[in-house]
Amino acid sequence: MTTHPAQGNGQQLRRPLSPVEAALVAEACSRSDVVWLKPAGAERYQAVWHTWHDDAVAVVYGSGEQMLPMLSGELEVMARSKDTGAAVIGFLAHVDTLTAHTPEWDAAATVLSAARLNAVDVAQQRERWASGAVISLLRPIAVTVAAEGDDETPAGALPPPGGPGTTTEREPFHLGGRLRRALRLRRRRENDQN
């Protein structure tokens, strides 16, 4: 669904996704293994592996899987090009959290289990998901951004968060170190030959 401001009262009216918008969302999400989620109140997007199932983005998170805050209500989803990383489409999605061992949960778990890479305990995976993880379907309700997905499309990325793993001020020690060492060794050899 796309939002349009209502006349004068400040509320948002929604219409169903057009067939073209629905097809674009489905194509972008089914081509990529990762989407970017931004729950309400969050400052930045978070990468999440998923599968496209039942016209929705299916994600599993929790114990032994990707760590996300509890998803509920509406959230922003951004699908990026697998080739260039540029934003292809952004949309609002409504979160449907599935109850374990229901037919809908079983269907989503089957699709997610088949797509899960590097699973440690394939035989026990579904039981682990039922007891300690959450499977949610993110159903598209409104397209917010539709981009060409070329290299010039801005990524919308924020600067890295502060912490011990970020290098925003000085260059790392190893930057250019091997090249300088190779030049130093070459000069020594030339001096030794003379």
Side-chain angles (χ1 to χ4, degrees), residues 28-184:
C29 291
S30 59
R31 283 188 176 223
S32 179
D33 297 331
V34 174
V35 293
W36 296 77
L37 304 181
K38 184 177 178 187
E43 185 177 315
R44 59 181 63 241
Y45 285 90
Q46 184 172 354
V48 177
W49 76 268
H50 77 287
T51 59
W52 183 253
H53 169 69
D54 193 24
D55 293 330
V57 173
V59 296
V60 60
Y61 58 99
S63 178
E65 294 298 328
Q66 53 200 348
M67 296 309 292
L68 295 172
M70 188 64 183
L71 302 177
S72 63
E74 293 181 1
L75 53 84
E76 294 179 46
V77 180
M78 182 68 65
R80 299 187 178 276
S81 167
K82 198 172 191 175
D83 299 326
T84 65
V88 176
I89 192 162
F91 57 93
L92 288 177
H94 178 75
V95 178
D96 285 339
T97 301
L98 305 179
T99 304
H101 299 300
T102 60
E104 193 175 20
W105 184 92
D106 286 333
T110 300
V111 173
L112 284 163
S113 182
R116 176 69 165 97
L117 299 176
N118 303 324
V120 177
D121 58 346
V122 177
Q124 303 299 321
Q125 184 176 45
R126 290 171 62 120
E127 284 306 313
R128 184 171 46 86
W129 287 354
S131 64
V134 177
I135 295 179
S136 294
L137 296 180
L138 313 178
R139 300 195 184 277
I141 55 175
V143 172
T144 57
V145 177
E148 296 176 10
D150 59 7
D151 289 337
E152 285 75 38
T153 304
L158 293 174
T166 57
T167 308
T168 57
E169 294 172 6
R170 66 176 188 84
E171 296 176 347
F173 175 73
H174 68 277
L175 188 62
R178 291 181 185 210
L179 178 61
R180 284 191 295 256
R181 184 170 183 249
L183 292 173
R184 224 179 16 247

